[in-house]
Amino acid sequence: MNISIVEQKEGFVRLQVDVVKGDYQDEHNKELKHVARSAKVKGFREGKAPVGMIEKMYGEGVRYEVINRMVGKLVDDFIKEKEYKVIGWAIPEENNSVEMTKEDMTLYFKLALHPAEYDTDFSDKTFTKYEITISDDEVTKQLEAIQQANASMQETDQVVADAIVGGDIAELEGDTRKEGGILKENVTIYPQFMKDEEEKAKFMDAGKSSVVVFSPYKAFDGNSAELSSLFGIDKDEVENLKGKEFSFQIETIRHMVPAELNQEFFDTAFGEGKVNNEDEAKTKIREFMEASERGNADYKFASDFLDYVREEKASKLVLADDLIIEWYSDNLKRNNDEEGLKNLNKESLIKSLKRELYIRHLANEEKLEVSDEDVRGFAYEMVRNQFAQMGWTNPDHEIVAKYADQQLQDSNFAYSMEMNILEQKVGKAMQEKVKLETKQVTAEELREILNPKKKETTEE
């Protein structure tokens, strides 16, 4: 067998493999004898059928298998010898199947290659590096948020803004309860959800055992869901409440009271014995916020850098786009992924691949790698931060690790984590390689930069 390059250009190589019968005949005969030793043919004992009969029955299939194996090894060895970095695998040309019916054949294979050159000159671009200032006010607000997250439901004597008010509601006729009118006992009202400020104000500061006269329909702006739930009626009956006044006999008043700054709270929020007073709590919070915001600042730089790379560098990489799409489609077909094939966005595929190739090139240049430990640690911190956003700043290690491991069972999620980590590592390394201008911002300002509010538009 002979293999040669018949076409080569940036990102693409076409190979020609010439095969004559003598190249595969010995291996073909050897394989036929192997098949014959275990073949079960009617009229013959197992393995005793004549080789000629075996060749008629299985010869062509065995020949295909032998040639495919030998040619495949030849192509693989050639790729290794030339040190080609192939995207996917060697794609056989469609006419190969016709050629393989001949004793002597010429086969062709196409290779999609990694780019030969990467432009890594960033001298024409200046990036912004944000340095974060954490104010005392931001630390105090965060402590209050943690207190609120650890709040407990408590009884109180007067209605406050977030109160949950329990009691009896009765329909009025004049100043007295209407005979045969609506009467519901042990109902719960949430004044904070009332739409009408005037009706809401009637409840504010009202005490236990007091009676509030109000219009439920007006208070909740005729909301059928709220009112049908309050009175236990069908939604189509809600309109019957319009214009009617009711009395509400207050029996209970409860509301959420933020956790007190005591040792029990400190142990719950920060870990047993790690914080003993308010000042120490604020110090811990400041450390956590500074570390978090430094991470956000690094993320912002990496995001800006990667956007620049995608638009100005990776987009200019030369690839064999059509061949890559052919390989990717073939892979989807092999995995019976009809949905993936149907929804394949070719333009998005090429853009994503170019970005990944460029990032991995930079990572190789900087000798950066992502370990399994990196991926597990990243997933762990992601879950821990999710808990922290819900006010649970000191979750049990085993619980966090369990949730992280569950998410990493998804191969797509694990791959996404690996690329995310690699991009952040590249971004951090590139801070030492590019021109920077430093800008001081508060944590709030950085959050606004990371999550810009959409500008409101008004119709003229």
Side-chain angles (χ1 to χ4, degrees), residues 176-209:
T176 60
R177 288 187 176 184
K178 181 179 180 180
E179 186 175 347
I182 298 173
L183 172 64
K184 302 292 289 185
E185 297 179 332
N186 299 320
V187 299
T188 301
I189 278 185
Y190 301 83
Q192 62 181 312
F193 297 129
M194 292 181 177
K195 303 298 183 185
D196 188 273
E197 294 299 325
E198 184 180 348
E199 296 300 307
K200 182 191 295 185
K202 294 177 180 179
F203 280 85
M204 291 302 103
D205 299 325
K208 287 182 181 178
S209 301

Side-chain angles (χ1 to χ4, degrees), residues 356 359-360 414-424:
E356 180 176 343
I359 292 301
R360 291 193 183 279
Y415 167 77
S416 175
M417 289 295 98
E418 189 262 342
M419 276 306 301
N420 197 315
I421 297 166
L422 189 63
E423 288 179 348
Q424 292 303 308

